Every structure is written in C-alpha cells, then in structure tokens.
Amino acid sequence: MTIPVHRHSDSRTCGASNIVVGQSTVFANRRLISVDKDPDSHGAGNLNAKCNNVFINSKMVVNIGDSANPDQAPHPNPAAGSGSPNVFVGD
C-alpha cells in the first residue's frame, strides 16, 4: 500500500502545521519531507513515524495518518493530516 508523505507546513489533524527539523536535504514538491520526531507549530507534538521501509538520514519518513505525541495546545494526538499530492511511500 502506498501513502502520501507528510511535509514541512502540511497540516496536522489538530489544525497545527508541521515543522521539519530532523532533516534538511530531501524534498517532495519543493517542501522538506517530514521524519520521525518532527514537531508541530503548537509546540511539541513530535511525530511517531511508522514507515519501516523508507528512511532519510537514518530517520523514518512520516506518512499521512502517522500519530504524534501531545502538543502544547494541548491536543492528545496531532497526527499527520495532509501530505504530498503525488509522492507516496509504502509502509
């Protein structure tokens, strides 16, 4: 199964935006691709990547639907909500 990658400034399910801090070299549609532990714009909300087959700099890539730790808003699971329209990876 293929799932869209989550990228810098893509939305989270809580309404926050994603902030890519875990890598600075790999892009999809001119936006950095999100990796494990990237936070959100509400503070904290680090992502929990589940993609076992695709890595950037030894960090798992984040797909739409991957969960996240609570953020400071507080939202209990500000998961990856949107992503690339045409870049997909398998789990």
Side-chain angles (χ1 to χ4, degrees):
M1 180 167 80
T2 58
I3 304 169
V5 296
H6 189 59
R7 306 159 301 163
H8 182 75
S9 75
D10 281 337
S11 65
R12 297 286 191 93
T13 56
C14 67
S17 297
N18 190 56
I19 301 172
V20 174
V21 298
Q23 67 94 8
S24 61
T25 58
V26 183
F27 296 79
N29 316 108
R30 298 184 181 170
R31 293 188 197 176
L32 288 167
I33 296 175
S34 187
V35 294
D36 192 45
K37 306 300 179 220
D38 280 343
D40 71 18
S41 61
H42 290 164
N46 295 354
L47 287 160
N48 301 310
K50 295 179 183 168
C51 184
N52 295 316
N53 298 311
V54 181
F55 295 82
I56 297 173
N57 300 328
S58 300
K59 296 179 182 182
M60 282 191 276
V61 169
V62 174
N63 296 329
I64 290 177
D66 284 357
S67 67
N69 296 330
D71 64 22
Q72 295 173 356
H75 299 119
N77 179 16
S82 67
S84 172
N86 60 1
V87 178
F88 307 91
V89 296
D91 280 338

